[in-house]
Amino acid sequence: MITAGVDVGLENIKIVILKDGKIAAKSEGPAGGAGRGRAAEKLWEETLNKAGIQAADVSKTVATGAGKYDVAFAGDRVVEVVADARAARYFYPNATSVVDAGADQVRVATLGEGDKIEEVVLNQKCSAGLGIMLKYMGRRLGMTLAEMSALAPDAAGGKTVNDGCAVFTEMDALELLNRNVHKKEVAGAVVQTVICRINAILKDKIPPAKETTVFIGGMTRNTAVVDGLKARSGIRFLIPEEAQYGCAVGAAVIASDR
Amino acid sequence: MSKQLWETRPLEIWGRAKALRARWQKSIDESAEQENLLLAHGNTGEVDWRESFKGLNIIEDNPVGAMMASVSDSFARKARLASEIRGWGREICGYVQNCWGVQFLGYQLDNSPFPLRDMCVPFSDPCDQHTKRGQQCMDFSPIPRWGGDWMMYLGERDPQREVEMIEERVYNTLKVIDDIERIFGIEFDDEKFVESIKAHRQVGEYALKVTQSMTNIPSPLGQKDLYSFYTLGGLTKVAPDELVDFWKSFSDELQWRIDNHIAAVGNERYRWMEAHPSPWHYLRYYRYMEQYGAVCVGSQYSHMMAGPIELKPDGTMDRREMIPRPAGTEIRTREDAVRAALTEARGHRFKDDEYFRLNAITDFAKGFKVNGALMPLYRGGVGCTLTRKEQGLQLSEIGVRVMHYEGSQPGDRTDLDERRFMDQLDTWMEGQGLRKFEE
């Protein structure tokens, strides 16, 4: 059986094709802003080519993510946190919690028996601590995401910026730059604020288990954030190789049920 | 509607409710044209004495501010801006900012001049900005302002302390009435006051039955409709006898619906509660939730119309009496009426203290047999948000699924992200294994 999951995020689209429960092909591309429906179709063609199949060979396609209603070729939709939960159990059958940190959302789900979700926590509206803020601040500081990812744990050198509001984060960062603080230290402080924010969401209701919590989403590519979050939260996250495709994988698994 | 489980139909009483509401609106519109004094007030509070003054018209800033935000967002924004540039911060209640912003603008939504108030008696509340309530109009005109003293209650409840607090409030209320009589030379009608307090007590009894009816499965009434009714008699002033009769008819109709299994939502399979509504222009989320077979069965915000209620050992919600009323106590004088109203009101004030807020919300969830709770986190009117996160944790501990969402305040739609709110609702419901029926 061949199924597909399409995760249309704010920044990137991720598509996964599952064949008999195994990942047969995966692709990632920019979301394309208002044209994300077209961007998804283009990426869909690429992924089909990678898998060496036609669209008609796919039994069902489920879309998820902020742009899930823009995916015309999907037969069904699922909310992101349900896809996250299925992905966590796909990668690690004994998983008890899943954290998905991306461009505009941080989601934490506590998993119950079977497909049941016991609890969900989402970030509130402010983009503080999210991937989109990290990207924006990188641009402000003249650093790439890769450079920010490579920052050492103590890069901040004791400097701090506001972790409650992205606007205040930027103001604090600018103030540090105006005091001639090196941009790497400022970037380190920004990374720390991201870590604090995600950690607060992690601990909002039911603290995740130390050994059986899965971490997925685009933020897993940022080594500085992942290492810092591990240290601060005390959680030894399970991070699958296809972590940034997690939500799409979950959608593809759900497609095989529907 | 898919998966119909019970019959559903509109309430018969809607026509009467709309007529009462229209009369109240007319009284507001005509206030400025009359020669009477105008009183600015936040809400009724615990003792409704104002109607008993001859030659006094009341304009409450809460409902006026709420209506403004619903009718014209652009005008409400203009009003709030007028208030903000005079130094009144965004943390202040949206109702207050709307209402007094219009004062600063000088004209109302229909271009008519703002009716300047002659006095104000704001009710204070745990919301910190309510201590400043009334200051906008007091400074502007200037006019006399009295403070409705409303003490915070910290720690465990203590009956003796309750008595002392009530006596202080009795003194405070009587003094306000005396002062107004003396300063403005207008007459207070004690007989009318005693009758109105008695009527208010009767309305409370019927409102309690309405509240209790919503513990039934299926609920005969949804929260969206209750929000329309609960102001009738609380905020909306018409003849006392008419209100008593209206609430009796309302309560009777709900009992009839229970007896005949008439549901507010015909496919009810999920019950949720809330602590406050979203901004008033956006009540369509109740209809959206019906697609999941979900009905909102109550809110502390509106059920306070029923007076003090609590969860009884048998699982029912019934009258809370912090200080038992001595048998045979009759209301004859102004002081009797003030004391009786305050004694009965004491104990339902879920806003009063952190201890009671937390326990009250879990009791509420159990009594109304809810599966979930929607809890807004509002930027303005901090009393609306005080302890909401703690309440959410308490509810989670007893198995109630909680969703928080952000907004400004029910009278200010600025910070409510409608699209995001809908997405959150989908996540919340699907995360609990429920999908819309049409899917």
Side-chain angles (χ1 to χ4, degrees), chain B residues 21-204:
Chain B
R21 178 67 172 67
R23 274 177 56 189
W24 175 72
Q25 183 64 48
K26 197 174 170 196
S27 76
I28 292 278
D29 295 343
E30 291 173 353
S31 293
E33 298 160 14
Q34 297 167 354
E35 294 294 311
N36 293 340
L37 292 162
L38 289 185
L39 167 70
H41 205 282
N43 270 156
T44 299
E46 293 160 326
V47 189
D48 193 2
W49 48 264
R50 305 156 308 161
E51 292 287 330
S52 307
F53 269 113
K54 288 172 186 164
L56 191 66
N57 278 49
I58 302 124
I59 304 180
E60 288 164 312
D61 38 342
N62 270 13
V64 166
M67 280 187 293
M68 273 178 60
S70 292
V71 173
S72 172
D73 183 39
S74 59
F75 186 72
R77 280 172 189 262
K78 193 186 282 187
R80 287 197 300 276
L81 180 62
S83 194
E84 274 182 37
I85 60 177
R86 283 163 177 82
W88 296 95
R90 284 188 179 186
E91 81 285 4
I92 290 176
C93 171
Y95 301 148
V96 174
Q97 292 286 68
N98 289 343
C99 183
W100 301 117
V102 174
Q103 172 189 257
F104 298 133
L105 289 175
Y107 59 94
Q108 305 187 93
L109 183 57
D110 62 358
N111 278 324
S112 61
F114 179 84
L116 289 171
R117 282 33 164 189
D118 298 289
M119 68 185 93
C120 66
V121 188
F123 79 116
S124 62
D125 222 345
C127 314
D128 60 359
Q129 79 281 355
H130 285 200
T131 60
K132 296 176 189 289
R133 201 159 198 155
Q135 195 178 329
Q136 290 101 328
C137 58
M138 176 183 77
D139 291 347
F140 190 75
S141 297
I143 54 172
R145 169 187 186 254
W146 286 268
D149 198 354
W150 209 327
M151 293 158 290
M152 283 290 281
Y153 200 118
L154 299 172
E156 301 261 345
R157 300 201 90 84
D158 172 355
Q160 186 54 41
R161 190 176 172 198
E162 293 278 349
V163 172
E164 303 296 343
M165 288 173 82
I166 288 168
E167 286 310 306
E168 198 274 342
R169 289 280 291 117
V170 169
Y171 169 79
N172 178 261
T173 307
L174 291 172
K175 183 175 187 310
V176 171
I177 297 170
D178 283 349
D179 281 355
I180 292 173
E181 278 188 305
R182 180 171 50 82
I183 294 168
F184 290 95
I186 54 175
E187 190 186 337
F188 188 78
D189 187 334
D190 285 296
E191 199 176 324
K192 187 177 175 185
F193 178 53
V194 167
E195 290 311 308
S196 75
I197 292 295
K198 286 179 179 172
H200 188 74
R201 186 184 261 184
Q202 284 178 279
V203 167

Side-chain angles (χ1 to χ4, degrees), chain A residues 117-118 123 125 204-205, chain B residues 389 401-402 406 415 420:
Chain A
I117 297 173
E118 297 288 350
N123 61 292
K125 283 195 317 183
D204 190 73
K205 282 185 183 167
Chain B
K389 291 291 278 184
R401 291 289 286 267
V402 178
E406 290 180 321
D415 283 342
R420 181 183 159 79

Side-chain angles (χ1 to χ4, degrees), chain B residues 4 31 62 68 72 84 100 108 119 128 157 159 176 204-205 229-230 241 254 261 269 285 288 308 326 341 414 421:
Chain B
Q4 185 86 24
S31 293
N62 270 13
M68 273 178 60
S72 172
E84 274 182 37
W100 301 117
Q108 305 187 93
M119 68 185 93
D128 60 359
R157 300 201 90 84
V176 171
E205 290 302 319
F229 290 111
Y230 94 105
D241 291 347
L254 293 179
H261 308 289
R269 63 171 173 168
Y285 69 96
Y288 186 75
T414 313
F421 183 39

Side-chain angles (χ1 to χ4, degrees), chain B residues 113-346:
Chain B
F114 179 84
L116 289 171
R117 282 33 164 189
D118 298 289
M119 68 185 93
C120 66
V121 188
F123 79 116
S124 62
D125 222 345
C127 314
D128 60 359
Q129 79 281 355
H130 285 200
T131 60
K132 296 176 189 289
R133 201 159 198 155
Q135 195 178 329
Q136 290 101 328
C137 58
M138 176 183 77
D139 291 347
F140 190 75
S141 297
I143 54 172
R145 169 187 186 254
W146 286 268
D149 198 354
W150 209 327
M151 293 158 290
M152 283 290 281
Y153 200 118
L154 299 172
E156 301 261 345
R157 300 201 90 84
D158 172 355
Q160 186 54 41
R161 190 176 172 198
E162 293 278 349
V163 172
E164 303 296 343
M165 288 173 82
I166 288 168
E167 286 310 306
E168 198 274 342
R169 289 280 291 117
V170 169
Y171 169 79
N172 178 261
T173 307
L174 291 172
K175 183 175 187 310
V176 171
I177 297 170
D178 283 349
D179 281 355
I180 292 173
E181 278 188 305
R182 180 171 50 82
I183 294 168
F184 290 95
I186 54 175
E187 190 186 337
F188 188 78
D189 187 334
D190 285 296
E191 199 176 324
K192 187 177 175 185
F193 178 53
V194 167
E195 290 311 308
S196 75
I197 292 295
K198 286 179 179 172
H200 188 74
R201 186 184 261 184
Q202 284 178 279
V203 167
E205 290 302 319
Y206 292 121
L208 175 62
K209 288 182 180 167
V210 169
T211 285
Q212 287 168 329
S213 78
M214 294 173 81
T215 63
N216 190 69
I217 298 176
S219 178
L221 181 71
Q223 181 61 24
K224 182 173 185 292
D225 290 344
L226 184 59
Y227 276 137
S228 299
F229 290 111
Y230 94 105
T231 59
L232 298 171
L235 302 180
T236 309
K237 307 299 179 301
V238 286
D241 291 347
E242 221 172 307
L243 276 177
V244 172
D245 188 55
F246 170 82
W247 277 89
K248 181 182 184 310
S249 303
F250 185 23
S251 135
D252 288 347
E253 186 179 347
L254 293 179
Q255 187 56 52
W256 178 84
R257 286 169 74 97
I258 289 172
D259 295 342
N260 292 280
H261 308 289
I262 311 290
V265 174
N267 53 13
E268 178 186 315
R269 63 171 173 168
Y270 186 93
R271 296 160 68 85
W272 97 87
M273 61 178 284
E274 56 192 18
H276 275 87
S278 80
W280 294 107
H281 76 287
Y282 200 64
L283 301 187
R284 59 181 173 272
Y285 69 96
Y286 294 104
R287 293 278 177 259
Y288 186 75
M289 289 288 278
E290 286 177 16
Q291 296 177 58
Y292 287 99
V295 60
C296 183
V297 292
S299 156
Q300 290 177 322
Y301 191 84
S302 53
H303 284 333
M304 66 183 169
M305 176 74 192
I309 54 171
E310 67 182 352
L311 182 68
K312 300 295 181 186
D314 65 357
T316 58
M317 296 298 286
D318 210 339
R319 185 70 72 213
R320 170 195 288 266
E321 283 200 64
M322 294 301 292
I323 302 166
R325 195 166 49 235
T329 306
E330 290 223 12
I331 301 174
R332 292 197 185 88
T333 65
R334 180 188 305 186
E335 187 172 331
D336 291 343
V338 169
R339 185 170 289 107
L342 284 166
T343 304
E344 285 165 25
R346 200 65 230 173

